[in-house]
């Protein structure tokens, strides 16, 4: 199975205030959007991010061919346990998920 | 009806001077720029300082003061000095006075401050006026009292009050990123849904267009729509780039909570006027029953000393995790034995750069790195203890062997001294809203002729 990053245009992750992170998957085409929408399981993402599935917000936005995921930060921005002030590296983790 | 010029996403990031000239020639009603946010972490709010270089800030601010003078319109900055705390507002006020003195000009300046006294917030908490937002930390009076800075995010009411003074320049403390753009249109009767939506799209300047780093964006409000025009050569806004910007740094791309209500863009329509301009309609604003402003606070979370060593020996690279774990255990025991500290007073962590320093336990890939950076982090309750334990950690990172019997190894230290004192580290500790009877209750407004 190919990695998600290979079938979409771009994956971007960013802080959304100090207490939330958000990941935007720009699919680039309706075909890729449908594949990601149907193939990316919310519970699978929650497992990879080690976050409770019920706190993971997901938006499948057909008009933009975007799947958006938002989650409370596991470590609040800037605390000793935080490794990534802007949440920039989660994108790589999501891009490496295999999609049917 | 109302024309707002937005030079860039933040003062200090730079803007395209040719595009700014075009914007001035188009006679805007207001030039609005953001001065910062919580983006870069808690230290800026904790210390009340700017993240941007003073030299860049002064050069760009002088350019915008000149632009506003030539355009004959007010200039407003929100969240001055990155964090919008009083000291950062005063810093930008000082720069403003310097620019006026340098150019032999004078101006009327309005200063809006957003600082909150911890005692006032503690009293508001007791009175049930402070409410947590999703994912907010637990708070109590001692935590509030320990904040080095607390600010409230101003909305359009406070910015409108500042503009109503007739000031040439408004320097505002913490505001929502959008309030400085939405205030004037709402004051002049533009629909609040359109005003807040345009402000959210425009708050990062031309980031909602192609050639995003060109900065300069013009927003025109009509009675039932707004039009976005990026002004740099080769920058184009399209329905896709504009609507996609609602995703940026928003946990919810359709609903945006602002002081006094919520913006809903679910029904918004984005239409290309040509290959550069986009018209937007259909945004909705729902006023809330209570008027609330968001609070941000930061406090000292400890003091840190760090040490960096580089492993290049293949055997140590391959066994770095076990090596680091052994060092942490030994150094922690030594720190307890040799100082008066207990294990509750400090922590030692070694992050392996090249292995999993970015993602920690979430990392799924095992690489085969040539070298590894071992970043030792000592966090302690006092700077003296952090520095002392940093010195205890130093010899381990320089010489600690994987096995007792081998010849003593030495690793690469890139610096002398190897220990780097980072001073106080801060943490954000409020994600709450404060209910106000009058929007100005938590804010102060002063004017100066300078």
């Amino acid at each position: 199975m190919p990695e998600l990053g290979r079938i979409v245009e771009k994956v971007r992750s960013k802080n959304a205030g100090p207490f939330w992170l958000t990941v935007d998957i720009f699919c680039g085409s309706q075909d890729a959007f449908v594949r990601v929408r149907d193939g990316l399981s919310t519970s699978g993402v929650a497992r990879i991010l080690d976050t409770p599935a019920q706190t993971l917000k997901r938006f499948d936005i057909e008009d933009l061919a975007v799947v958006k995921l938002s989650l409370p930060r596991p470590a609040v921005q800037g605390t000793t346990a935080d490794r990534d002030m802007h949440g920039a590296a989660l994108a790589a983790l999501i891009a490496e998920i295999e999609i049917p | 009806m109302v024309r707002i010029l937005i030079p860039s996403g933040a003062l200090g990031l730079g803007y395209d001077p040719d595009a700014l000239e075009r914007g001035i020639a188009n006679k805007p009603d207001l030039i609005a720029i953001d001065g910062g946010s919580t983006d870069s972490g808690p230290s800026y709010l904790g210390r009340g300082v700017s993240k941007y270089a003073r030299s860049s800030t002064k050069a760009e601010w002088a350019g915008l003061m000149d632009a506003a003078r030539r355009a004959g319109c007010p200039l407003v900055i929100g969240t001055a000095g990155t964090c919008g705390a009083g000291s950062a507002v005063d810093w930008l006020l000082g720069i403003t006075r310097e620019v006026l003195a340098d150019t032999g000009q004078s101006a009327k300046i309005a200063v809006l401050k957003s600082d909150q006294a911890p005692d006032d917030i503690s009293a508001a908490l007791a009175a049930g006026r402070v409410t947590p937002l999703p994912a907010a930390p637990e708070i109590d009076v001692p935590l509030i009292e320990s904040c080095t800075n607390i600010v409230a995010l101003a909305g359009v009411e406070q910015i409108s009050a500042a503009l109503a003074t007739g000031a040439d320049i408004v320097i505002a403390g913490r505001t929502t990123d959008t309030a400085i753009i939405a205030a004037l249109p709402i004051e002049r009767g533009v629909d609040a849904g359109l005003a807040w939506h345009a402000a959210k799209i425009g708050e990062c300047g031309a980031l909602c267009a192609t050639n995003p780093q060109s900065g300069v964006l013009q927003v025109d409000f009509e009675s039932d729509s707004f039009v976005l025009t990026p002004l740099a050569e080769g920058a184009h806004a399209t329905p896709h780039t504009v609507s996609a910007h609602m995703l940026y740094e928003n946990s919810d791309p359709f609903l945006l909570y602002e002081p006094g209500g919520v913006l809903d863009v679910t029904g918004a329509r984005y239409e290309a006027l040509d290959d550069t301009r986009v018209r937007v309609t259909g945004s909705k604003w729902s006023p809330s029953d209570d008027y609330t402003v968001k609070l941000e606070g930061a406090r000292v979370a400890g003091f840190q000393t760090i040490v960096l060593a580089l492993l290049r020996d293949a055997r140590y690279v391959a066994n770095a995790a076990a090596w680091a774990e052994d060092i942490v255990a030994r150094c922690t025991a030594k720190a307890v034995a040799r100082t008066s500290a207990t294990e509750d007073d400090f922590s030692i962590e070694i992050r392996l750069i090249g292995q999993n320093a970015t993602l920690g336990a979430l990392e799924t890939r095992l690489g085969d790195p040539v070298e590894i950076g071992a970043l030792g982090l000592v966090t302690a309750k006092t700077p003296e203890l952090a520095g002392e334990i940093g010195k205890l950690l130093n010899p381990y990172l320089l010489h600690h062997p994987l096995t007792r019997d081998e010849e003593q190894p030495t690793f690469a230290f890139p610096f002398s001294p190897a220990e780097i004192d980072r001073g106080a580290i801060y943490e954000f500790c409020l994600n709450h809203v404060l209910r106000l009877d009058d929007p100005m209750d938590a804010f102060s407004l002063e004017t100066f002729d300078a």
Side-chain angles (χ1 to χ4, degrees):
Chain A
M1 291 196 293
E3 291 180 354
L4 184 148
R6 304 226 174 249
I7 62 172
V8 305
E9 196 174 272
K10 184 172 79 172
V11 184
R12 168 178 81 188
S13 61
K14 190 78 176 60
N15 54 319
F19 298 90
W20 286 80
L21 294 168
T22 192
V23 183
D24 299 326
I25 304 168
F26 293 90
C27 298
S29 70
Q30 280 306 310
D31 284 353
F33 171 72
V34 168
R35 215 166 147 191
V36 174
R37 184 193 62 195
D38 298 346
L40 183 69
S41 92
T42 306
S43 57
V45 170
R47 203 163 47 245
I48 283 165
L49 298 180
D50 192 25
T51 198
Q54 61 271 24
T55 62
L56 192 67
K57 291 201 262 182
R58 173 172 175 158
F59 304 90
D60 295 328
I61 310 168
E62 192 170 353
D63 288 352
L64 292 172
V66 163
V67 174
K68 183 177 182 72
L69 303 156
S70 298
L71 62 147
R73 280 182 91 110
V76 172
Q77 185 185 19
T79 51
T80 320
D82 181 28
R83 296 159 174 266
D84 180 2
M85 207 61 58
H86 300 88
L90 278 192
L93 206 53
I94 300 296
E96 287 163 9
I97 295 175
E98 291 184 343
I99 293 289
Chain B
M1 194 164 147
V2 184
R3 172 169 287 170
I4 310 279
L5 181 63
I6 303 156
S8 80
L11 186 69
L13 282 180
Y15 46 78
D16 178 331
D18 296 334
L20 186 68
E21 278 307 315
R22 263 174 237 132
I24 297 167
N26 291 345
K27 292 285 168 204
D29 296 293
L30 178 78
I31 299 178
I33 190 158
D34 194 16
S37 72
T38 55
D39 235 37
S40 301
S43 178
Y44 303 98
L45 178 61
R47 292 180 294 143
V49 299
S50 168
K51 72 174 262 198
Y52 292 111
R54 193 179 194 282
S55 53
S56 276
T57 303
K58 184 178 176 184
E60 291 177 26
W61 189 234
L64 296 184
M65 286 167 65
D66 178 59
R69 183 182 303 278
R70 288 193 287 126
C73 73
L75 168 65
V76 55
I77 183 164
T79 314
T82 303
C83 60
S87 52
V89 171
D90 292 339
W91 177 79
L92 189 64
L93 179 61
I95 291 174
T96 310
R97 290 184 191 279
E98 227 175 82
V99 172
L100 290 171
D102 291 349
T103 54
Q105 308 273 8
S106 59
K108 182 173 180 182
I109 304 172
V111 171
L112 177 76
K113 286 199 172 165
S114 310
D115 303 79
Q116 307 301 310
D119 285 351
D120 292 345
I121 299 302
S122 296
L125 180 68
R129 287 176 170 271
V130 176
T131 314
L133 293 169
E138 289 292 322
I139 59 168
D140 53 19
V141 169
L143 179 142
I144 291 168
E145 299 290 335
S146 70
C147 287
T148 53
N149 276 306
I150 301 175
V151 290
L153 278 69
V156 298
E157 292 79 4
Q158 300 84 355
I159 296 295
S160 292
L163 289 170
T165 63
D168 305 302
I169 300 169
V170 173
I171 301 175
R174 189 67 170 119
T175 67
T176 70
D177 295 347
T178 39
I180 52 168
I181 302 169
L184 185 68
I186 290 176
E187 193 64 32
R188 296 214 181 150
V190 169
D191 173 79
L194 292 173
W196 283 110
H197 191 188
K200 177 59 205 172
I201 299 284
E203 54 114 345
C204 292
L207 211 56
C208 64
T210 62
N211 190 5
Q213 294 201 338
S214 59
V216 191
L217 182 76
Q218 177 176 299
V219 187
D220 288 293
F221 293 93
E222 301 299 336
S223 58
D224 61 347
S225 66
F226 64 88
V227 175
L228 299 153
T229 312
L231 293 178
E233 204 66 61
H236 304 283
T238 68
H240 185 87
T241 63
V242 169
S243 55
H245 190 68
M246 285 304 293
L247 302 165
Y248 190 66
E249 294 179 337
N250 275 356
S251 58
D252 186 321
F254 299 113
L255 298 177
L256 196 67
Y257 290 87
E258 292 283 353
V262 59
L263 169 69
D264 183 348
V265 304
T266 312
R269 289 286 164 264
Y270 304 84
E271 168 203 356
L273 285 184
D274 49 36
D275 73 347
T276 298
R277 297 178 302 153
V278 171
R279 181 195 297 280
V280 184
T281 54
S283 337
K284 291 270 179 293
W285 173 256
S286 306
S288 50
D289 294 337
D290 291 325
Y291 187 87
T292 59
V293 288
K294 192 175 164 189
L295 297 171
E296 289 168 355
R299 63 172 183 165
V300 174
F303 298 84
Q304 206 165 56
T305 295
I306 65 174
V307 189
L308 179 65
L310 304 172
L311 312 184
R312 180 60 180 81
D313 179 292
R315 187 167 147 261
Y316 278 85
V317 167
N319 294 287
W323 175 81
E325 197 179 327
D326 192 34
I327 290 177
V328 169
R330 286 170 188 266
C331 191
T332 300
K334 184 177 271 186
V336 170
R338 298 224 169 138
T339 72
S340 57
T342 70
E343 283 196 39
D344 292 338
D345 297 330
F346 70 93
S347 67
I348 303 173
E349 187 187 357
I350 298 175
R351 290 188 192 161
L352 300 176
I353 300 170
Q355 189 159 305
N356 63 356
T358 316
L359 290 168
L362 296 182
E363 184 54 71
T364 53
R365 298 210 157 172
L366 279 179
D368 189 11
V370 170
E371 62 179 1
I372 283 184
L375 178 63
L377 305 172
V378 178
T379 310
K381 285 187 174 169
T382 67
E384 294 76 19
L385 185 61
E388 182 68 11
I389 299 175
K391 288 187 170 71
L392 292 175
L393 182 61
N394 175 326
Y396 288 105
L397 288 177
L398 185 62
H399 286 312
H400 187 62
L402 271 170
T403 56
R404 190 176 286 270
D405 296 332
E406 66 192 85
E407 194 186 331
Q408 173 175 285
T410 302
F411 306 105
F413 270 11
F415 310 117
S416 171
E419 317 84 57
I420 302 165
D421 293 326
R422 293 192 56 235
I425 57 166
Y426 292 83
E427 64 186 11
F428 287 116
C429 47
L430 292 174
N431 189 28
H432 295 71
V433 291
L434 170 66
R435 194 173 81 242
L436 299 176
D437 293 331
D438 182 303
M440 289 307 289
D441 280 353
F443 300 87
S444 73
L445 181 60
E446 271 189 281
T447 55
F448 305 91
D449 287 307

